């Protein structure tokens, strides 16, 4: 963090709660409060790790995160559960019924378990990129990119080309 010109993160729960309660936009960690609010009012998904080599595997993540929702925003655990149910109902959960959407995930990204990873039809596609993590497909090409990431980017480009071609053909037909 120091090499990036930022302060190291505190391990103090009290300090973390105090920082998350600050609404001044000039505070470092901009976005942390907003992200927590979104997880407390829409997603309810809190990332942790498991396994013997993970330093956090013995920490009960969900109760701790729900406690943050209460301490920072005054939102009870039951209100988080209700908000998540509403989000899933509104957006369709694992079956959103969307059209011309490409759900892109990396299989090493913990968020992929909340996403659509199997295509449900030609207008609701899914791409699960092996050995890719969060948003890697959005980064510029690098020589160190894996073959699966390169292939994933090509698949994304081809899907977009297909949808643009279909939209253009639809416009031509509607004018005729």
């Amino acid at each position: 963090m120091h090499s990036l010109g930022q302060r190291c993160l505190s391990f103090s729960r009290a300090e973390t709660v105090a920082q998350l309660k600050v609404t001044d936009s000039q505070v470092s960690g901009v976005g942390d409060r907003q992200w927590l609010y979104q997880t407390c009012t829409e997603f309810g998904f809190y990332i942790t790790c498991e396994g013997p080599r993970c330093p956090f595997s013995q920490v009960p993540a969900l109760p701790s995160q729900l406690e943050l929702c209460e301490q920072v925003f005054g939102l009870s655990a039951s209100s988080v559960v209700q908000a998540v149910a509403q989000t899933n109902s509104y957006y369709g959960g694992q079956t959103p019924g969307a059209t011309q959407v490409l759900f892109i995930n990396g299989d090493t990204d913990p968020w992929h378990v909340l996403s659509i990873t199997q295509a449900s039809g030609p207008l609701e596609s899914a791409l699960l990129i092996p050995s890719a993590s969060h948003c890697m497909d959005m980064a510029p090409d690098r020589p160190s990119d894996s073959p699966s990431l390169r292939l994933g980017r090509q698949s994304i480009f081809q899907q977009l080309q297909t949808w643009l071609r279909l939209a253009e053909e639809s416009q031509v037909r509607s004018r005729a």
Side-chain angles (χ1 to χ4, degrees), residues 43-57:
F43 301 145
F45 183 67
Y46 305 99
I47 297 175
T48 187
C49 55
E50 297 175 10
R53 294 185 353 183
C54 174
F56 308 108
S57 63

Side-chain angles (χ1 to χ4, degrees), residues 25-41:
S25 63
Q26 303 304 312
V27 175
S28 65
V30 173
D32 292 342
R33 178 180 166 82
Q34 295 86 335
W35 178 249
L36 178 63
Y37 184 78
Q38 193 169 23
T39 62
C40 294
T41 60

Side-chain angles (χ1 to χ4, degrees), residues 6-94:
Q6 299 176 357
R7 283 187 20 197
C8 289
L9 300 174
S10 171
F11 285 101
S12 162
R13 176 70 172 211
E15 190 175 324
T16 297
V17 170
Q19 288 174 351
L20 287 168
K21 285 184 174 186
V22 175
T23 58
D24 180 7
S25 63
Q26 303 304 312
V27 175
S28 65
V30 173
D32 292 342
R33 178 180 166 82
Q34 295 86 335
W35 178 249
L36 178 63
Y37 184 78
Q38 193 169 23
T39 62
C40 294
T41 60
E42 292 184 57
F43 301 145
F45 183 67
Y46 305 99
I47 297 175
T48 187
C49 55
E50 297 175 10
R53 294 185 353 183
C54 174
F56 308 108
S57 63
Q58 303 306 312
V59 176
L62 183 58
S64 175
Q65 291 296 328
L66 291 174
E67 192 176 283
L68 267 181
C69 295
E70 173 73 41
Q71 292 173 323
V72 177
F73 303 112
L75 299 169
S76 68
S78 63
S79 71
V80 174
V81 170
Q82 187 176 14
V84 171
Q86 148 106 52
T87 298
N88 284 329
S89 174
Y90 183 81
Y91 290 106
Q94 291 291 339

